[in-house]
Amino acid sequence: MNLTVVGTGYVGLVTGTCFSEMGNQVTCIDIDQSKIDKLKQGIIPIYEPGLEKMVLRNHDKGFLNFSTNLEEGLENAQVVFIAVGTPMGEDGSADLKYVLDVAKTLGELMTKPIIVVDKSTVPVGTADKVRDTIQHELDKRNIDIEFDVVSNPEFLKEGAAIQDFMKPDRIVVGAEKDSSFDVMKELYAPFTHNHDRMICMDVRSAEMTKYVANAMLATKISFMNEVANICELVGADVNQVRIGIGSDSRIGYSFIYPGSGYGGSCFPKDVKALQKIAEDKGYHADLIQSVEKVNDRQKMVIANKVVQRFGADLKGTTFAIWGLAFKPETDDMREAPAIYIIKDLIQRGAKVKAYDPKAMHEAQSFYLKDNDVQYYDSKYQTLQEADAMILLTEWKEFRSPDFEELKTQMKTPVIFDGRNQYSNLNLEEKGFEYYQIGKK
Protein backbone atom coordinates (compact mmCIF):
# COMPACT_ATOMS: atom_id res chain seq x y z
CA MET A 1 0.00 0.00 0.00
CA ASN A 2 1.21 3.56 -0.71
CA LEU A 3 1.29 5.64 2.46
CA THR A 4 2.23 9.19 3.35
CA VAL A 5 3.07 10.16 6.92
CA VAL A 6 3.11 13.89 7.68
CA GLY A 7 5.44 14.62 10.57
CA THR A 8 8.77 12.92 11.33
CA GLY A 9 8.74 13.30 15.09
CA TYR A 10 8.57 10.37 17.46
CA VAL A 11 5.16 9.05 16.36
CA GLY A 12 5.51 9.82 12.66
CA LEU A 13 8.95 8.33 12.20
CA VAL A 14 8.15 5.14 14.11
CA THR A 15 4.83 4.76 12.26
CA GLY A 16 6.30 5.28 8.81
CA THR A 17 9.28 3.06 9.48
CA CYS A 18 7.27 0.14 10.84
CA PHE A 19 4.81 0.26 7.95
CA SER A 20 7.72 0.24 5.49
CA GLU A 21 9.16 -2.78 7.31
CA MET A 22 6.09 -4.73 6.17
CA GLY A 23 6.67 -3.82 2.52
CA ASN A 24 4.50 -0.73 2.19
CA GLN A 25 5.78 2.18 0.14
CA VAL A 26 6.05 5.04 2.65
CA THR A 27 6.91 8.71 2.23
CA CYS A 28 7.53 10.70 5.40
CA ILE A 29 6.93 14.43 5.04
CA ASP A 30 8.25 17.25 7.21
CA ILE A 31 8.57 21.00 6.72
CA ASP A 32 11.98 20.96 8.43
CA GLN A 33 14.45 20.69 5.54
CA SER A 34 17.38 20.10 7.89
CA LYS A 35 15.64 17.16 9.55
CA ILE A 36 14.75 15.62 6.18
CA ASP A 37 18.32 16.03 4.92
CA LYS A 38 19.66 14.30 8.02
CA LEU A 39 17.15 11.44 7.70
CA LYS A 40 18.26 10.91 4.11
CA GLN A 41 21.82 10.68 5.43
CA GLY A 42 20.77 8.14 8.03
CA ILE A 43 20.93 10.56 10.97
CA ILE A 44 18.01 9.83 13.30
CA PRO A 45 16.72 12.79 15.39
CA ILE A 46 15.54 10.68 18.34
CA TYR A 47 16.86 7.71 20.29
CA GLU A 48 14.62 4.66 20.22
CA PRO A 49 16.00 1.11 20.47
CA GLY A 50 15.93 -0.61 17.07
CA LEU A 51 14.70 2.42 15.13
CA GLU A 52 17.92 3.50 13.46
CA LYS A 53 18.65 0.10 11.92
CA MET A 54 15.08 -0.23 10.68
CA VAL A 55 15.12 3.24 9.12
CA LEU A 56 18.42 2.62 7.35
CA ARG A 57 17.37 -0.81 6.11
CA ASN A 58 14.09 0.31 4.59
CA HIS A 59 15.50 3.54 3.21
CA ASP A 60 18.22 1.53 1.43
CA LYS A 61 15.57 -0.81 0.01
CA GLY A 62 13.55 2.14 -1.28
CA PHE A 63 10.51 1.38 0.89
CA LEU A 64 10.98 4.44 3.10
CA ASN A 65 11.54 7.91 1.66
CA PHE A 66 11.74 11.41 3.11
CA SER A 67 10.63 14.69 1.59
CA THR A 68 9.44 18.23 2.33
CA ASN A 69 7.08 18.18 -0.66
CA LEU A 70 3.59 17.07 0.39
CA GLU A 71 2.25 17.48 -3.14
CA GLU A 72 4.64 14.79 -4.37
CA GLY A 73 3.81 12.68 -1.34
CA LEU A 74 0.12 12.72 -2.31
CA GLU A 75 0.62 11.58 -5.91
CA ASN A 76 0.25 7.88 -5.15
CA ALA A 77 -0.92 7.93 -1.54
CA GLN A 78 -3.93 5.83 -0.58
CA VAL A 79 -3.71 6.66 3.12
CA VAL A 80 -2.28 9.83 4.69
CA PHE A 81 -1.34 9.81 8.36
CA ILE A 82 -1.26 13.10 10.27
CA ALA A 83 1.42 12.69 12.93
CA VAL A 84 2.41 16.25 13.74
CA GLY A 85 2.79 17.70 17.21
CA THR A 86 -0.10 18.82 19.37
CA PRO A 87 1.70 20.92 21.99
CA MET A 88 -0.05 21.94 25.17
CA GLY A 89 -1.59 25.40 25.08
CA GLU A 90 -1.48 27.85 27.99
CA ASP A 91 -4.92 26.67 29.15
CA GLY A 92 -3.89 23.00 29.12
CA SER A 93 -5.69 22.16 25.88
CA ALA A 94 -4.01 20.49 22.90
CA ASP A 95 -2.99 23.01 20.24
CA LEU A 96 -4.40 21.79 16.92
CA LYS A 97 -2.67 24.41 14.78
CA TYR A 98 -0.28 21.98 13.09
CA VAL A 99 -2.94 19.31 12.59
CA LEU A 100 -5.32 21.75 10.93
CA ASP A 101 -2.50 23.26 8.87
CA VAL A 102 -1.91 19.81 7.41
CA ALA A 103 -5.64 19.34 6.82
CA LYS A 104 -5.80 22.68 4.99
CA THR A 105 -2.85 21.74 2.78
CA LEU A 106 -4.41 18.36 1.99
CA GLY A 107 -7.58 20.11 0.87
CA GLU A 108 -5.54 22.42 -1.33
CA LEU A 109 -3.46 19.67 -2.95
CA MET A 110 -5.39 16.38 -3.08
CA THR A 111 -6.44 15.23 -6.54
CA LYS A 112 -7.91 11.80 -5.84
CA PRO A 113 -9.73 9.95 -3.05
CA ILE A 114 -7.71 9.32 0.12
CA ILE A 115 -8.19 8.22 3.70
CA VAL A 116 -6.85 10.75 6.20
CA VAL A 117 -5.81 9.23 9.52
CA ASP A 118 -5.35 11.24 12.70
CA LYS A 119 -2.37 9.55 14.38
CA SER A 120 -1.53 12.52 16.60
CA THR A 121 -3.09 12.59 20.06
CA VAL A 122 -6.00 14.97 19.59
CA PRO A 123 -9.11 16.03 21.55
CA VAL A 124 -12.52 14.56 20.94
CA GLY A 125 -14.05 16.20 17.89
CA THR A 126 -10.78 16.82 16.04
CA ALA A 127 -11.68 14.49 13.17
CA ASP A 128 -14.73 16.67 12.51
CA LYS A 129 -12.51 19.75 12.38
CA VAL A 130 -10.06 18.03 10.03
CA ARG A 131 -12.93 16.93 7.79
CA ASP A 132 -14.46 20.41 7.74
CA THR A 133 -11.09 22.03 6.98
CA ILE A 134 -10.38 19.71 4.06
CA GLN A 135 -13.91 20.09 2.69
CA HIS A 136 -13.69 23.88 2.94
CA GLU A 137 -10.59 23.89 0.75
CA LEU A 138 -12.18 21.51 -1.75
CA ASP A 139 -15.24 23.76 -1.93
CA LYS A 140 -12.99 26.75 -2.62
CA ARG A 141 -11.48 24.79 -5.51
CA ASN A 142 -15.00 23.89 -6.66
CA ILE A 143 -14.17 20.20 -6.92
CA ASP A 144 -15.67 17.09 -5.38
CA ILE A 145 -13.20 14.46 -4.17
CA GLU A 146 -14.21 11.64 -1.85
CA PHE A 147 -12.25 11.28 1.38
CA ASP A 148 -12.73 10.02 4.92
CA VAL A 149 -11.14 10.98 8.23
CA VAL A 150 -10.19 8.15 10.56
CA SER A 151 -8.94 8.18 14.15
CA ASN A 152 -6.12 5.73 14.84
CA PRO A 153 -4.41 6.80 18.09
CA GLU A 154 -0.94 5.52 18.89
CA PHE A 155 -0.13 3.54 22.04
CA LEU A 156 3.66 3.50 21.83
CA LYS A 157 5.84 3.37 24.92
CA GLU A 158 9.07 5.33 24.57
CA GLY A 159 11.89 2.82 24.78
CA ALA A 160 9.71 0.02 23.40
CA ALA A 161 7.97 1.75 20.48
CA ILE A 162 9.17 -0.62 17.75
CA GLN A 163 8.02 -3.67 19.69
CA ASP A 164 4.71 -2.00 20.52
CA PHE A 165 4.03 -1.20 16.87
CA MET A 166 5.18 -4.52 15.44
CA LYS A 167 3.39 -6.58 18.10
CA PRO A 168 0.54 -4.38 19.34
CA ASP A 169 -1.72 -5.36 22.22
CA ARG A 170 -4.52 -3.44 20.49
CA ILE A 171 -5.12 -1.29 17.43
CA VAL A 172 -7.92 1.24 17.92
CA VAL A 173 -9.63 2.52 14.78
CA GLY A 174 -12.51 4.98 14.70
CA ALA A 175 -14.27 5.52 11.38
CA GLU A 176 -17.66 6.27 9.84
CA LYS A 177 -17.40 4.18 6.68
CA ASP A 178 -17.10 0.41 6.41
CA SER A 179 -14.75 0.91 3.48
CA SER A 180 -12.33 2.81 5.74
CA PHE A 181 -12.39 0.02 8.31
CA ASP A 182 -11.62 -2.45 5.50
CA VAL A 183 -8.59 -0.46 4.35
CA MET A 184 -7.25 -0.12 7.90
CA LYS A 185 -7.74 -3.84 8.51
CA GLU A 186 -5.77 -4.62 5.37
CA LEU A 187 -3.02 -2.20 6.34
CA TYR A 188 -2.64 -3.64 9.84
CA ALA A 189 -3.13 -7.30 8.85
CA PRO A 190 0.63 -8.12 8.96
CA PHE A 191 0.78 -6.87 12.55
CA THR A 192 -2.19 -8.95 13.69
CA HIS A 193 -1.43 -12.16 11.84
CA ASN A 194 -1.65 -14.41 14.91
CA HIS A 195 -4.52 -12.66 16.64
CA ASP A 196 -6.97 -9.97 15.56
CA ARG A 197 -6.22 -7.07 17.87
CA MET A 198 -8.11 -4.39 15.98
CA ILE A 199 -10.89 -2.68 17.91
CA CYS A 200 -13.31 -0.79 15.68
CA MET A 201 -15.47 1.99 17.07
CA ASP A 202 -16.88 5.40 16.28
CA VAL A 203 -14.43 8.25 15.73
CA ARG A 204 -15.10 10.18 18.94
CA SER A 205 -14.72 7.08 21.09
CA ALA A 206 -11.37 6.34 19.44
CA GLU A 207 -10.19 9.88 20.13
CA MET A 208 -11.30 9.58 23.76
CA THR A 209 -9.66 6.17 24.24
CA LYS A 210 -6.14 7.56 23.91
CA TYR A 211 -6.65 10.21 26.60
CA VAL A 212 -8.38 7.83 28.97
CA ALA A 213 -5.65 5.19 28.59
CA ASN A 214 -2.89 7.62 29.50
CA ALA A 215 -4.90 9.23 32.29
CA MET A 216 -5.61 5.79 33.78
CA LEU A 217 -1.91 4.86 33.82
CA ALA A 218 -0.99 8.25 35.28
CA THR A 219 -3.65 7.72 37.95
CA LYS A 220 -2.08 4.41 39.01
CA ILE A 221 1.32 6.08 39.30
CA SER A 222 0.04 9.01 41.36
CA PHE A 223 -2.09 6.74 43.53
CA MET A 224 0.91 4.57 44.40
CA ASN A 225 3.08 7.60 45.09
CA GLU A 226 0.39 8.98 47.38
CA VAL A 227 0.30 5.64 49.18
CA ALA A 228 4.11 5.68 49.43
CA ASN A 229 4.05 9.01 51.22
CA ILE A 230 1.40 7.74 53.65
CA CYS A 231 3.41 4.55 54.25
CA GLU A 232 6.43 6.63 55.21
CA LEU A 233 4.39 8.60 57.75
CA VAL A 234 2.91 5.52 59.43
CA GLY A 235 6.06 3.39 59.35
CA ALA A 236 4.97 0.92 56.68
CA ASP A 237 7.15 -0.27 53.78
CA VAL A 238 5.55 0.69 50.46
CA ASN A 239 7.62 -1.93 48.62
CA GLN A 240 5.96 -4.69 50.63
CA VAL A 241 2.55 -3.04 50.28
CA ARG A 242 3.04 -2.99 46.50
CA ILE A 243 3.64 -6.74 46.46
CA GLY A 244 0.64 -7.29 48.68
CA ILE A 245 -1.80 -5.43 46.44
CA GLY A 246 -0.21 -6.35 43.12
CA SER A 247 -0.88 -10.04 43.72
CA ASP A 248 -4.57 -9.23 43.33
CA SER A 249 -5.32 -9.95 39.65
CA ARG A 250 -7.80 -7.06 39.61
CA ILE A 251 -4.94 -4.67 40.39
CA GLY A 252 -1.78 -6.25 38.98
CA TYR A 253 1.80 -5.03 39.25
CA SER A 254 1.99 -2.68 36.28
CA PHE A 255 2.39 1.02 37.06
CA ILE A 256 2.28 0.62 40.85
CA TYR A 257 5.98 1.17 41.48
CA PRO A 258 6.62 4.17 43.76
CA GLY A 259 9.03 6.77 42.45
CA SER A 260 9.67 10.41 41.69
CA GLY A 261 6.64 10.92 39.47
CA TYR A 262 5.87 10.55 35.79
CA GLY A 263 7.17 12.73 32.98
CA GLY A 264 7.59 12.51 29.21
CA SER A 265 5.63 13.82 26.29
CA CYS A 266 2.33 12.03 26.90
CA PHE A 267 1.12 11.68 30.47
CA PRO A 268 1.56 15.31 31.62
CA LYS A 269 0.09 16.75 28.42
CA ASP A 270 -2.77 14.26 28.11
CA VAL A 271 -3.85 14.53 31.76
CA LYS A 272 -4.08 18.31 31.39
CA ALA A 273 -5.89 18.00 28.06
CA LEU A 274 -8.48 15.62 29.51
CA GLN A 275 -9.14 18.08 32.33
CA LYS A 276 -9.66 20.81 29.73
CA ILE A 277 -12.00 18.60 27.66
CA ALA A 278 -14.14 18.06 30.76
CA GLU A 279 -13.96 21.73 31.75
CA ASP A 280 -15.13 22.84 28.30
CA LYS A 281 -18.25 20.76 28.85
CA GLY A 282 -18.90 22.23 32.29
CA TYR A 283 -17.57 19.25 34.27
CA HIS A 284 -14.85 19.53 36.93
CA ALA A 285 -12.70 16.39 36.81
CA ASP A 286 -11.62 16.27 40.46
CA LEU A 287 -9.81 12.92 40.31
CA ILE A 288 -7.85 13.72 37.16
CA GLN A 289 -6.86 17.11 38.57
CA SER A 290 -5.61 15.38 41.72
CA VAL A 291 -3.49 13.01 39.65
CA GLU A 292 -1.59 16.00 38.29
CA LYS A 293 -1.25 17.69 41.70
CA VAL A 294 0.13 14.55 43.31
CA ASN A 295 2.62 14.12 40.49
CA ASP A 296 3.86 17.69 40.68
CA ARG A 297 4.45 17.27 44.40
CA GLN A 298 6.11 13.89 43.99
CA LYS A 299 8.84 15.28 41.75
CA MET A 300 10.23 17.16 44.75
CA VAL A 301 10.12 14.34 47.31
CA ILE A 302 13.77 13.37 46.77
CA ALA A 303 14.87 17.02 46.82
CA ASN A 304 13.06 17.43 50.13
CA LYS A 305 14.83 14.37 51.54
CA VAL A 306 18.16 15.89 50.51
CA VAL A 307 17.27 19.09 52.40
CA GLN A 308 16.23 17.10 55.46
CA ARG A 309 19.58 15.33 55.44
CA PHE A 310 21.95 18.17 54.46
CA GLY A 311 20.00 21.32 55.32
CA ALA A 312 18.37 24.02 53.22
CA ASP A 313 21.71 25.71 52.42
CA LEU A 314 23.62 23.30 50.19
CA LYS A 315 26.67 25.48 49.53
CA GLY A 316 29.80 23.34 49.60
CA THR A 317 27.96 20.07 48.83
CA THR A 318 28.28 17.94 45.70
CA PHE A 319 25.69 15.53 44.34
CA ALA A 320 26.13 12.79 41.74
CA ILE A 321 23.01 12.40 39.59
CA TRP A 322 22.45 9.04 37.93
CA GLY A 323 19.80 9.40 35.24
CA LEU A 324 18.31 12.43 33.49
CA ALA A 325 15.70 10.99 31.10
CA PHE A 326 12.16 10.62 32.41
CA LYS A 327 12.44 6.84 31.91
CA PRO A 328 15.07 4.37 30.66
CA GLU A 329 15.68 3.54 26.99
CA THR A 330 14.96 7.07 25.78
CA ASP A 331 16.68 10.44 25.58
CA ASP A 332 13.41 12.25 26.30
CA MET A 333 13.64 14.68 29.21
CA ARG A 334 10.28 16.38 28.84
CA GLU A 335 8.86 16.93 32.36
CA ALA A 336 11.53 14.61 33.80
CA PRO A 337 11.82 14.76 37.62
CA ALA A 338 15.59 15.25 37.18
CA ILE A 339 14.98 18.75 35.80
CA TYR A 340 13.15 19.93 38.89
CA ILE A 341 15.44 18.23 41.39
CA ILE A 342 18.67 19.45 39.78
CA LYS A 343 17.41 23.03 39.51
CA ASP A 344 16.41 23.00 43.19
CA LEU A 345 19.80 21.66 44.28
CA ILE A 346 21.68 24.27 42.24
CA GLN A 347 19.44 27.06 43.51
CA ARG A 348 20.37 26.02 47.04
CA GLY A 349 24.06 26.28 46.19
CA ALA A 350 24.97 22.66 45.49
CA LYS A 351 27.37 21.40 42.83
CA VAL A 352 25.81 18.83 40.50
CA LYS A 353 27.63 16.13 38.50
CA ALA A 354 25.45 14.10 36.15
CA TYR A 355 25.49 11.03 33.94
CA ASP A 356 22.86 9.49 31.68
CA PRO A 357 23.49 6.93 28.91
CA LYS A 358 21.42 8.84 26.32
CA ALA A 359 19.96 12.12 27.59
CA MET A 360 22.99 14.29 28.38
CA HIS A 361 22.93 16.08 25.03
CA GLU A 362 19.26 16.95 25.61
CA ALA A 363 20.10 18.29 29.06
CA GLN A 364 23.07 20.34 27.87
CA SER A 365 21.39 21.78 24.78
CA PHE A 366 17.94 22.52 26.15
CA TYR A 367 16.49 21.36 29.46
CA LEU A 368 19.40 22.33 31.74
CA LYS A 369 21.43 24.55 29.39
CA ASP A 370 21.28 27.56 31.72
CA ASN A 371 22.23 25.56 34.80
CA ASP A 372 25.76 24.83 36.00
CA VAL A 373 25.83 21.05 35.66
CA GLN A 374 28.97 19.01 35.02
CA TYR A 375 28.49 15.99 32.75
CA TYR A 376 30.57 12.81 32.76
CA ASP A 377 31.08 9.82 30.47
CA SER A 378 30.40 7.18 33.11
CA LYS A 379 28.38 6.84 36.27
CA TYR A 380 31.42 6.26 38.46
CA GLN A 381 33.13 9.49 37.32
CA THR A 382 30.33 11.49 38.92
CA LEU A 383 31.05 10.04 42.36
CA GLN A 384 34.41 11.59 43.19
CA GLU A 385 34.06 13.71 46.33
CA ALA A 386 30.25 13.51 46.11
CA ASP A 387 28.31 13.97 49.31
CA ALA A 388 25.55 11.73 47.95
CA MET A 389 24.41 9.86 44.86
CA ILE A 390 20.86 10.48 43.62
CA LEU A 391 19.33 7.89 41.29
CA LEU A 392 16.52 9.29 39.15
CA THR A 393 16.22 6.97 36.11
CA GLU A 394 16.13 3.19 36.34
CA TRP A 395 18.57 2.39 33.50
CA LYS A 396 19.74 -1.23 33.50
CA GLU A 397 23.37 -0.23 34.03
CA PHE A 398 22.38 1.33 37.35
CA ARG A 399 20.77 -1.82 38.75
CA SER A 400 23.86 -3.59 40.03
CA PRO A 401 26.64 -1.07 40.61
CA ASP A 402 29.85 -1.81 42.49
CA PHE A 403 28.83 -0.50 45.88
CA GLU A 404 32.38 -0.77 47.21
CA GLU A 405 33.45 1.55 44.38
CA LEU A 406 30.71 3.96 45.44
CA LYS A 407 32.02 4.04 49.00
CA THR A 408 35.61 4.49 47.79
CA GLN A 409 34.80 7.41 45.49
CA MET A 410 32.20 9.29 47.54
CA LYS A 411 32.93 11.70 50.34
CA THR A 412 30.06 10.21 52.33
CA PRO A 413 28.24 6.96 51.46
CA VAL A 414 24.75 8.40 51.03
CA ILE A 415 22.23 7.26 48.40
CA PHE A 416 18.90 8.86 47.54
CA ASP A 417 16.96 6.37 45.44
CA GLY A 418 14.21 8.09 43.47
CA ARG A 419 13.10 4.83 41.84
CA ASN A 420 13.50 2.38 44.76
CA GLN A 421 15.91 0.30 42.69
CA TYR A 422 17.94 -0.80 45.69
CA SER A 423 15.13 -1.18 48.21
CA ASN A 424 15.73 -4.92 48.71
CA LEU A 425 19.54 -4.81 49.02
CA ASN A 426 19.89 -3.86 52.71
CA LEU A 427 22.36 -1.08 51.86
CA GLU A 428 22.45 0.04 55.47
CA GLU A 429 24.27 -3.21 56.27
CA LYS A 430 26.83 -2.30 53.59
CA GLY A 431 27.57 0.96 55.36
CA PHE A 432 25.34 3.32 53.39
CA GLU A 433 22.81 5.89 54.45
CA TYR A 434 19.94 4.92 52.18
CA TYR A 435 16.89 7.06 51.45
CA GLN A 436 14.04 5.84 49.24
CA ILE A 437 10.45 6.65 48.33
CA GLY A 438 7.82 5.54 50.84
CA LYS A 439 10.00 4.34 53.68
CA LYS A 440 11.93 6.13 56.40
Side-chain angles (χ1 to χ4, degrees):
M1 199 173 293
N2 289 306
L3 312 175
T4 294
V5 179
V6 185
T8 59
Y10 186 86
V11 174
L13 188 56
V14 171
T15 297
T17 301
C18 290
F19 276 133
S20 70
E21 179 76 2
M22 291 303 186
N24 295 289
Q25 193 69 41
V26 180
T27 300
C28 288
I29 304 291
D30 203 291
I31 61 173
D32 188 336
Q33 184 68 58
S34 175
K35 182 186 286 189
I36 292 298
D37 290 341
K38 289 179 179 179
L39 284 167
K40 289 179 176 179
Q41 298 167 25
I43 302 172
I44 312 302
I46 58 173
Y47 173 72
E48 178 63 36
L51 180 61
E52 182 176 1
K53 289 182 179 179
M54 192 177 286
V55 169
L56 295 175
R57 179 169 64 247
N58 286 286
H59 185 56
D60 289 344
K61 289 180 179 179
F63 293 144
L64 181 61
N65 297 291
F66 304 101
S67 175
T68 58
N69 192 326
L70 181 54
E71 187 171 10
E72 289 182 2
L74 290 176
E75 286 179 0
N76 299 310
Q78 298 162 270
V79 182
V80 178
F81 287 85
I82 300 178
V84 295
T86 53
M88 184 170 59
E90 292 183 3
D91 62 355
S93 64
D95 187 345
L96 296 178
K97 177 184 184 305
Y98 302 113
V99 171
L100 297 181
D101 282 350
V102 174
K104 182 177 185 297
T105 306
L106 290 175
E108 293 170 342
L109 299 177
M110 59 189 288
T111 58
K112 61 182 183 61
I114 57 173
I115 294 176
V116 179
V117 181
D118 284 336
K119 198 69 174 172
S120 303
T121 301
V122 293
V124 176
T126 298
D128 294 336
K129 294 180 180 179
V130 170
R131 183 181 294 105
D132 291 344
T133 301
I134 294 173
Q135 189 61 55
H136 179 70
E137 296 303 319
L138 292 176
D139 291 343
K140 285 169 60 176
R141 294 166 60 191
N142 199 29
I143 60 174
D144 184 19
I145 301 176
E146 185 179 355
F147 71 96
D148 194 19
V149 180
V150 170
S151 175
N152 175 217
E154 55 85 15
F155 297 96
L156 306 176
K157 297 187 294 292
E158 291 191 53
I162 298 296
Q163 180 180 347
D164 287 346
F165 201 103
M166 301 300 286
K167 297 180 179 180
D169 51 16
R170 84 283 208 194
I171 299 165
V172 173
V173 176
E176 291 184 349
K177 300 178 181 179
D178 289 340
S179 58
S180 295
F181 282 124
D182 291 341
V183 170
M184 297 300 285
K185 286 178 180 178
E186 179 183 346
L187 181 58
Y188 277 108
F191 304 94
T192 60
H193 184 70
N194 295 325
H195 179 66
D196 185 8
R197 295 176 175 86
M198 181 171 287
I199 304 171
C200 297
M201 59 183 72
D202 64 271
V203 173
R204 288 184 172 235
S205 295
E207 292 171 332
M208 189 67 170
T209 297
K210 169 64 175 183
Y211 281 110
V212 174
N214 279 350
M216 182 66 213
L217 296 175
T219 299
K220 292 185 73 173
I221 293 171
S222 283
F223 174 79
M224 203 62 203
N225 283 331
E226 189 90 287
V227 168
N229 297 332
I230 297 171
C231 284
E232 185 167 341
L233 293 172
V234 301
D237 183 346
V238 70
N239 304 295
Q240 296 182 31
V241 173
R242 177 185 62 80
I243 295 171
I245 67 170
S247 58
D248 186 328
S249 60
R250 296 170 300 174
I251 299 173
Y253 291 104
S254 297
F255 288 84
I256 62 168
Y257 288 83
S260 295
Y262 60 76
S265 63
C266 294
F267 287 7
K269 179 167 68 75
D270 293 353
V271 167
K272 283 182 179 292
L274 189 55
Q275 289 180 59
K276 186 63 169 60
I277 290 170
E279 181 184 313
D280 288 346
K281 296 298 181 182
Y283 182 80
H284 188 72
D286 293 329
L287 176 59
I288 297 170
Q289 186 177 59
S290 296
V291 168
E292 181 185 11
K293 287 183 177 179
V294 169
N295 191 64
D296 289 343
R297 184 176 62 208
Q298 195 67 21
K299 289 179 179 180
M300 297 306 296
V301 166
I302 284 293
N304 293 337
K305 287 178 179 286
V306 171
V307 170
Q308 290 171 10
R309 168 60 175 79
F310 290 97
D313 185 354
L314 297 177
K315 292 184 180 70
T317 59
T318 299
F319 296 96
I321 304 293
W322 284 14
L324 297 168
F326 86 95
K327 62 181 286 189
E329 301 301 332
T330 182
D331 60 355
D332 194 345
M333 281 189 65
R334 283 173 285 189
E335 295 295 322
I339 298 171
Y340 301 90
I341 293 169
I342 289 172
K343 286 183 176 181
D344 185 69
L345 297 178
I346 291 175
Q347 187 175 2
R348 294 179 183 277
K351 179 180 178 181
V352 173
K353 304 162 75 174
Y355 168 74
D356 186 285
K358 294 296 178 182
M360 289 195 292
H361 176 72
E362 291 292 305
Q364 288 174 291
S365 60
F366 187 72
Y367 294 99
L368 294 169
K369 68 177 181 178
D370 296 325
N371 294 269
D372 186 16
V373 179
Q374 297 179 16
Y375 300 92
Y376 292 83
D377 294 330
S378 80
K379 58 183 182 286
Y380 293 119
Q381 289 177 355
T382 65
L383 299 173
Q384 190 169 5
E385 294 302 305
D387 291 277
M389 184 272 276
I390 304 174
L391 187 145
L392 296 176
T393 313
E394 59 274 37
W395 287 95
K396 289 180 181 178
E397 68 171 90
F398 298 157
R399 291 182 183 177
S400 299
D402 184 340
F403 288 106
E404 290 303 314
E405 181 71 16
L406 266 71
K407 285 203 298 188
T408 300
Q409 294 283 350
M410 297 169 69
K411 187 187 301 183
T412 52
V414 180
I415 294 176
F416 293 92
D417 187 351
R419 298 298 177 184
N420 286 17
Q421 287 291 286
Y422 311 135
S423 60
N424 62 343
L425 297 183
N426 297 317
L427 289 183
E428 292 87 352
E429 296 180 4
K430 299 178 185 292
F432 286 91
E433 285 183 53
Y434 178 61
Y435 301 88
Q436 58 177 300
I437 304 292
K439 184 181 179 182
K440 285 188 176 180

